[in-house]
Amino acid sequence: MDIYPIALATAVTIARVLVLIALSIVTGWVLGYIAIKSRWFENVWITLVNVFESIPVIAFFPLVLVVFINGLGGTWGVELASDFLVFDAVVWNVWIGIYQAFKTVPGDLLEVAENYDFGFLRRMADLYIPHSIPRITTNMFSSFADAMFYITVSEVFSVGITTYKSFGIGSVLVAFLRAGNLTGVYYSLLCIAVGVVCVTLVFSRTNRWAVSKFGTNTDIVIRRRTGPLQAYIQREEQYLVRELKTVRHMIHKVRAPPSVPLSNPYERQHLLTKQEVKYIEFAGTIVAIAVLTYVLYSVYLIAASVSAQQWARFLSITPFLVYAMAVDYLRVAAITILSFILAVTVGYYLARHHRISVPVTTAVQIIAAFPAPAYFPLIFIATLPFMENLLPLTYAEVYIFMLGFLSCFYYVFFDFWTGVQGIPAEFWELMRNYRLSTYTRIRYIILPGTLPYLITGLSSTINSAWAGIAIGEFWPNIYGTQTLQTGIGMMRFISLNMANGDVADAAWVSLIFGLVIVVYSIFFTRNLMDLARKKFVVEEGIYAA
């Protein structure tokens, strides 16, 4: 078998994911800044982010079908539909992480920026963006893993009897699985493994550098070069840096107007006036409203195509759907509890033992980024006889739990791990001096100090657990003629209706689910984020002391 097309498809998929992650970072910076400056925009935006993050990619198929497939059509329509589904998998936790970082900038730093009257661009370049980089590098793991988890349903998806696909390893892998070509499946998994390992190693180094470089007086140190030759090179670099600063100062002195006091190293640089900043915020709000209007119009097109009899049927099945949603929330709660316990115990241990943290976290990142739907059919067919004998009535729940756990456990794990690394060194010194036990450290310092990270991680864990549940509750022909499905579940209802081509029923369930998520985002994410901002920003302790 020729491995070149498989390797090319893997490279295309990884490139697609990385480009969309970069796009989510840039847009997150803009939207995050507008959110912390506009209470109205913050309320709307955070609510929408929580709603869309919680709704699985599968539930977006009706919207994709109307907007991209039927609206644009052709190859570009299918490609943009695939990109939209991948973007939906990567963007939400990045946006939440950036918002959480902007929201928890220490008040003393904000006061310095205010006293020296920093302009918009300087605030972003020197304060907000650097403070958000550790969160971004942490969330890149989760975004990449989430996108790879969904490649088998984003690069190739079916609505009724029609299948749409774009070129990538996801569509290639699905073709091999449907044809029973195990050789092609193994080569695909090999190429995915190589790509995932390379990306994970780059992300790991980037994350450690970000925490060391942009953390507020953290316990993590940047490795220094040693040796005679390295010391000489370092001295020469420092000399060149001083010379460049002198030249830059002379250039500014020539260009600057006489009224600017150049002796002040923090001279006021109004890169943008306050009025121009208001224009930018207004423009961002208009863009957000335009996007929301377009989405609502697309939803209206679906709603308008539904008859009165169908609306009556929707209302009659709503109580059953609420019950099915409650069952799914119990599954999500079990997955979240286990993920939290794993994060606090293992994450704390790894954060304090740097030598073993690198290989272990790299292994966790590889497991998280390796798409579970790609290899899970092999696990299912190998363990099914044993599980049928051991748990004849509930074995499907075990598989659903496994898929749900694999789709989200890394969110709270990596957020907590990064939060522990970001705790200032003074706190660790205090804990050592008073010889606090591990339990006391975790209860009174670690958990409160990492609460902003934990809120972000738990929110993303809860919202992303639906990914594995959605796939596991109804997976027809998971391997050969075998089908994995549960007896009751909201995600099963959505997947089953999409497989039967009943887009209207799937859209109705998604609407009900979205309304529930709106309430969740208001009473959970927003309130806890405000609480973390007011009382649990650990960096504030340095300035308070």
Side-chain angles (χ1 to χ4, degrees):
M1 172 173 287
D2 187 8
I3 198 174
Y4 173 75
I6 300 176
L8 178 62
T10 305
V12 169
T13 295
I14 292 177
R16 176 184 289 124
V17 172
L18 295 179
V19 168
L20 293 174
I21 289 176
L23 178 62
S24 67
I25 293 172
V26 175
T27 54
W29 282 334
V30 177
L31 295 173
Y33 185 81
I34 297 175
I36 64 174
K37 294 299 182 182
S38 171
R39 193 69 173 179
W40 174 86
F41 182 85
E42 181 184 23
N43 291 333
V44 175
W45 183 59
I46 292 301
T47 301
L48 291 177
V49 167
N50 280 278
V51 170
F52 290 136
E53 183 180 20
S54 300
I55 298 177
V57 167
I58 295 174
F60 282 94
F61 286 170
L63 179 64
V64 166
L65 183 66
V66 172
V67 177
F68 297 104
I69 305 300
N70 295 339
L72 298 177
T75 304
W76 277 106
V78 176
E79 177 61 34
L80 289 177
S82 177
D83 292 340
F84 173 81
L85 293 174
V86 174
F87 186 74
D88 172 68
V90 307
V91 67
W92 309 116
N93 64 297
V94 172
W95 282 2
I96 283 291
I98 292 175
Y99 163 74
Q100 185 260 348
F102 284 11
K103 195 79 172 176
T104 56
V105 172
D108 297 79
L109 298 182
L110 292 174
E111 186 178 353
V112 170
E114 186 69 25
N115 290 340
Y116 288 105
D117 206 4
F118 282 1
F120 165 72
L121 294 182
R122 184 159 186 188
R123 284 176 183 248
M124 290 295 292
D126 295 344
L127 182 59
Y128 287 108
I129 290 179
H131 193 72
S132 69
I133 288 179
R135 269 96 165 175
I136 291 173
T137 55
T138 301
N139 284 312
M140 285 194 306
F141 294 125
S142 305
S143 294
F144 183 75
D146 224 13
M148 296 301 292
F149 186 91
Y150 272 124
I151 59 171
T152 55
V153 295
S154 59
E155 293 184 345
V156 53
F157 56 94
S158 300
V159 179
I161 61 174
T162 306
T163 300
Y164 305 95
K165 60 181 180 180
S166 60
F167 182 68
I169 192 60
S171 57
V172 170
L173 184 59
V174 169
F176 285 144
L177 286 171
R178 290 178 177 177
N181 187 346
L182 290 181
T183 303
V185 172
Y186 294 144
Y187 274 117
S188 299
L189 294 178
L190 175 62
C191 290
I192 292 174
V194 173
V196 165
V197 169
C198 293
V199 172
T200 300
L201 290 176
V202 172
F203 282 1
S204 298
R205 290 181 176 272
T206 304
N207 179 252
R208 186 167 178 79
W209 166 83
V211 174
S212 303
K213 180 72 173 178
F214 298 103
T216 307
N217 197 20
T218 69
D219 199 39
I220 308 298
V221 296
I222 303 175
R223 181 176 298 177
R224 305 296 181 184
R225 288 173 289 191
T226 59
L229 179 59
Q230 287 79 5
Y232 172 77
I233 294 175
Q234 188 171 358
R235 288 196 301 270
E236 292 298 317
E237 287 182 351
Q238 293 174 352
Y239 172 76
L240 290 176
V241 168
R242 288 196 300 268
E243 293 299 318
L244 288 174
K245 287 183 178 179
T246 302
V247 173
R248 189 182 299 114
H249 178 74
M250 293 176 64
I251 293 175
H252 284 307
K253 188 173 183 179
V254 172
R255 293 179 177 177
S259 59
V260 178
L262 293 174
S263 59
N264 183 358
Y266 299 100
E267 67 267 19
R268 297 164 64 179
Q269 296 182 5
H270 292 281
L271 300 178
L272 288 178
T273 65
K274 292 183 178 180
Q275 190 67 27
E276 289 170 334
V277 172
K278 290 183 179 180
Y279 288 152
I280 293 176
E281 294 176 0
F282 177 75
T285 304
I286 293 298
V287 171
I289 294 175
V291 172
L292 178 61
T293 302
Y294 183 69
V295 171
L296 292 177
Y297 176 72
S298 301
V299 173
Y300 165 76
L301 293 179
I302 298 177
S305 64
V306 180
S307 63
Q309 293 80 5
Q310 187 68 20
W311 281 113
R313 180 177 177 275
F314 286 162
L315 296 178
S316 66
I317 64 175
T318 298
F320 167 76
L321 297 178
V322 172
Y323 168 68
M325 186 188 306
V327 173
D328 277 350
Y329 263 108
L330 290 177
R331 296 185 176 110
V332 171
I335 293 169
T336 303
I337 291 172
L338 180 60
S339 300
F340 175 77
I341 295 174
L342 178 70
V344 173
T345 55
V346 180
Y348 173 77
Y349 181 82
L350 294 178
R352 302 312 305 151
H353 297 79
H354 301 306
R355 290 187 177 181
I356 66 172
S357 68
V358 175
V360 173
T361 54
T362 302
V364 173
Q365 291 156 11
I366 293 173
I367 294 173
F370 205 83
Y375 63 82
F376 195 80
L378 303 178
I379 298 176
F380 175 80
I381 199 64
T383 59
L384 182 61
F386 171 76
M387 294 297 295
E388 285 180 328
N389 293 328
L390 181 64
L391 301 169
L393 300 178
T394 59
Y395 72 88
E397 291 296 329
V398 176
Y399 290 121
I400 294 171
F401 181 87
M402 290 174 59
L403 277 169
F405 181 78
L406 289 172
S407 69
C408 68
F409 77 94
Y410 42 84
Y411 282 104
V412 66
F413 176 83
F414 285 119
D415 277 321
F416 177 77
W417 176 59
T418 302
V420 174
Q421 293 185 98
I423 292 178
E426 288 80 358
F427 283 85
W428 295 107
E429 183 178 355
L430 181 68
M431 288 186 281
R432 286 191 295 265
N433 291 341
Y434 282 96
R435 299 179 181 180
L436 300 182
S437 65
T438 301
Y439 173 77
T440 305
R441 291 183 179 194
I442 292 178
R443 179 180 178 182
Y444 292 104
I445 298 179
I446 304 300
L447 289 180
T450 58
L451 186 61
Y453 296 85
L454 281 172
I455 292 173
T456 303
L458 286 173
S459 178
S460 296
T461 299
I462 294 171
N463 294 336
S464 300
W466 300 99
I469 292 177
I471 295 176
E473 286 191 353
F474 181 72
W475 192 340
N477 303 322
I478 182 174
Y479 191 88
T481 59
Q482 294 286 343
T483 296
L484 174 62
Q485 63 177 323
T486 184
I488 182 68
M490 178 183 61
M491 293 296 109
R492 177 185 184 275
F493 188 87
I494 294 177
S495 301
L496 189 61
N497 279 278
M498 291 302 301
N500 294 332
D502 194 344
V503 179
D505 274 8
W508 174 247
V509 182
S510 300
L511 177 61
I512 296 176
F513 186 42
L515 295 176
V516 174
I517 298 301
V518 168
V519 177
Y520 157 78
S521 66
I522 293 174
F523 289 98
F524 180 80
T525 305
R526 261 294 310 278
N527 288 338
L528 286 183
M529 194 68 71
D530 287 341
L531 176 66
R533 173 66 185 90
K534 294 175 181 177
K535 294 186 177 182
F536 296 101
V537 180
V538 70
E539 292 86 353
E540 297 279 9
I542 300 299
Y543 306 105

